[in-house]
Amino acid sequence: MTAEVDAYLSALPDDQRAALSDLRARLQILLPDHHEVMSYAMPGFRQPGPKGKMVVGYAAFARHLGLYPHSGTVIPLIDCAPFKTSKSGVLFTPDRPLPDALLSQIIATRQAELAAGYGKR
């Protein structure tokens, strides 16, 4: 846990803070050896090591929350229905969080993409 992430979450309305705190805990279980960081002004998790790539980030907005696997190719590969999606993320609300199975599938797809060399130069 980082102070920056704690500060980000503490500034949110109660319902968003609770939902993203729960998401954070679930991501920590799925990514136990990853570094918790702020990237692109959102909390997230980076691979271990000095050149670790971002795996996933999450954020709160006025009318929704979002999960972003830091790749434009992950979300289009996954059936995220009934949630709204963009090319880079899946949107949800505090009263309708992402199911564990969907969250696990997004993380597994992103990790497979990174293992295959996505983002290496």
Side-chain angles (χ1 to χ4, degrees):
M1 295 185 209
T2 69
E4 286 179 304
V5 174
D6 290 339
Y8 178 91
L9 294 173
S10 69
L12 298 175
D14 290 343
D15 61 340
Q16 289 185 334
R17 181 175 48 256
L20 290 186
S21 293
D22 177 66
L23 177 63
R24 177 190 197 185
R26 293 163 58 207
L27 288 169
Q28 287 170 331
I29 291 167
L30 291 170
L31 302 165
D33 59 339
H34 288 56
H35 302 290
E36 190 173 30
V37 298
M38 292 293 292
S39 180
Y40 295 99
M42 69 176 75
F45 290 84
R46 180 182 301 279
Q47 293 174 313
K51 294 189 178 186
K53 301 285 184 199
M54 282 300 296
V55 177
V56 66
Y58 56 92
F61 301 94
R63 294 195 169 115
H64 68 273
L65 306 171
L67 179 79
Y68 304 94
H70 286 263
S71 166
T73 61
V74 170
I75 297 301
L77 296 173
I78 299 171
D79 179 7
C80 295
F83 297 94
K84 286 186 175 185
T85 62
S86 66
K87 182 178 177 183
S88 62
V90 59
L91 311 179
F92 60 101
T93 59
D95 61 333
R96 194 165 178 194
L98 299 176
D100 288 339
L102 178 57
L103 182 60
S104 295
Q105 186 178 14
I106 291 168
I107 297 303
T109 302
R110 176 64 173 146
Q111 288 181 306
E113 178 182 73
L114 289 167
Y118 178 88
K120 290 186 179 176
R121 293 178 185 190

